[in-house]
């Protein structure tokens, strides 16, 4: 990714002087951040970024979106290429050694999607096979919560869907936010009504004193949005539980 020197991340005062917020987002994760048929970014996290620009700079369009892969979500922040990332990043201790986190704006977690009408509860998964992304952090959770379930590793969501379509597995385990988007795209699938874990998703900021004012301001904004019910309202709008 090539980023111009003028786009380097800055503190709150410098962002105000620049007149725009530079935010790393996802462009292929429905319903958090994805492109509509016209190529425009939309989704729950896109709305959060736009309202944050409105709060900080007075205009919801005072923003530059930088689409990133999962691999680059932390590095673009740590390297100062963006001001912050709103890109489905769960808060973990190892990640907190590299970047700073805001207050969570959504509680995600591990869920299971299926198209098999006989699978209704967690107990129904016993002794069946479910797909999971290779090297996913959810594998440890699945082995603990579903010890009698056979895990089948796949390299992509599409590979998991092929196994589901062929009947080789009865479900696919991943973050509920991702599975909800999948169910929206493929209505014959449904997310089972339980979570196997709970994981907070937060805004990623650079570590250090320079970003402290920005982080504190964002935390106050998120706290107010929660109290007003705006975050829950928008999550519900985008089909998130």
């Amino acid at each position: 990714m090539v980023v111009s020197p003028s786009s380097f991340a800055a503190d709150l005062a410098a962002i105000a002087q620049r007149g725009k917020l530079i935010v790393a987002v996802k462009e292929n994760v429905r319903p958090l951040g994805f492109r509509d048929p016209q190529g425009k970014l939309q989704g729950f996290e896109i709305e959060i970024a736009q309202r944050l620009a409105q709060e900080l700079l007075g205009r919801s369009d005072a923003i530059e979106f930088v689409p990133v892969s999962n691999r680059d979500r932390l590095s673009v922040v740590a390297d100062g290429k963006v001001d912050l990332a709103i890109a489905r990043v769960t808060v973990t201790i190892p990640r907190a050694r590299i970047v700073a986190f805001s207050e969570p704006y959504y509680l995600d977690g591990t869920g299971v999607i299926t198209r098999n009408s006989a699978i209704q509860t967690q107990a129904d998964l016993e002794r069946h096979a479910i797909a999971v992304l290779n090297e996913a952090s959810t594998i440890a959770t699945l082995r603990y919560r579903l010890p009698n379930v056979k895990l089948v590793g796949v390299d992509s969501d599409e590979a998991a869907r092929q196994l589901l379509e062929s009947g080789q597995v009865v479900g696919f385990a991943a973050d509920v936010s991702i599975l909800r988007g999948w169910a929206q795209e493929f209505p014959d699938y449904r997310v089972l009504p339980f979570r196997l874990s709970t994981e907070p998703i937060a805004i990623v900021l650079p570590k250090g004193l320079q970003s402290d004012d920005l982080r504190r301001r964002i935390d106050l904004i998120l706290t107010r949005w929660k109290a007003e019910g705006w975050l829950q309202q928008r999550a519900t709008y985008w089909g998130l539980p």
Side-chain angles (χ1 to χ4, degrees):
M1 178 187 301
V2 177
V3 180
S4 63
S6 62
S7 294
F8 287 169
D11 59 21
L12 185 54
I15 291 170
Q17 185 175 14
R18 183 206 295 146
K20 69 177 178 180
L21 191 64
I22 303 171
V23 184
V25 296
K26 299 295 295 179
E27 63 177 348
N28 57 356
V29 179
R30 184 186 185 112
L32 298 180
F34 64 103
R35 294 192 182 275
D36 65 16
Q38 289 72 46
K40 183 180 178 182
L41 283 167
Q42 62 175 332
F44 180 49
E45 292 182 329
I46 304 301
E47 284 196 355
I48 289 174
Q50 290 169 331
R51 189 168 183 193
L52 201 56
Q54 176 70 45
E55 295 269 2
L56 296 175
L57 300 170
R59 292 183 16 243
S60 62
D61 62 348
I63 192 167
E64 177 182 333
F65 291 119
V66 179
V68 292
S69 65
N70 284 351
R71 179 183 58 191
D72 295 331
R73 290 176 298 176
L74 301 187
S75 63
V76 292
V77 176
D79 295 342
K81 295 177 179 177
V82 299
D83 297 317
L84 46 90
I86 309 177
R88 200 182 62 81
V89 181
T90 54
V91 180
T92 66
I93 293 174
R95 287 173 175 170
R97 298 189 183 106
I98 303 169
V99 295
F101 286 103
S102 71
E103 288 290 313
Y105 58 82
Y106 183 69
L107 290 179
D108 207 352
T110 302
V112 179
I113 196 168
T114 185
R115 62 186 301 211
N116 187 328
S117 60
I119 305 296
Q120 299 289 336
T121 68
Q122 183 173 328
D124 293 334
L125 294 170
E126 289 289 314
R127 306 194 184 284
H128 285 290
I130 61 174
V132 62
L133 291 175
N134 288 317
E135 300 181 5
S137 60
T138 56
I139 291 174
T141 298
L142 293 168
R143 285 176 173 161
Y144 176 71
R145 296 291 305 275
L146 302 173
N148 296 319
V149 169
K150 179 184 177 182
L151 303 183
V152 180
V154 293
D155 291 326
S156 67
D157 293 0
E158 180 57 31
R161 194 162 76 89
Q162 290 175 7
L163 292 180
L164 280 159
E165 297 282 350
S166 65
Q168 296 179 65
V169 299
V170 299
F172 173 47
D175 291 340
V176 170
S177 57
I178 293 176
L179 300 181
R180 285 287 185 175
W182 190 347
Q184 290 170 14
E185 190 173 359
F186 305 106
D188 53 330
Y189 286 88
R190 59 192 170 80
V191 182
L192 294 175
F194 58 83
R195 295 192 192 192
L196 300 169
S197 67
T198 301
E199 301 164 359
I201 299 180
I203 296 172
V204 183
L205 301 100
K207 288 185 77 71
L209 294 175
Q210 183 181 11
S211 64
D212 272 359
D213 286 345
L214 178 60
R215 181 182 54 77
R216 283 194 290 266
R217 179 76 179 277
I218 289 174
D219 281 349
L220 289 173
I221 291 170
L222 290 172
T223 298
R224 174 160 49 83
W225 289 353
K226 290 175 185 176
E228 293 171 351
W230 183 81
L231 282 172
Q232 182 58 56
Q233 178 192 50
R234 300 319 297 164
T236 300
Y237 172 85
W238 288 106
L240 294 166

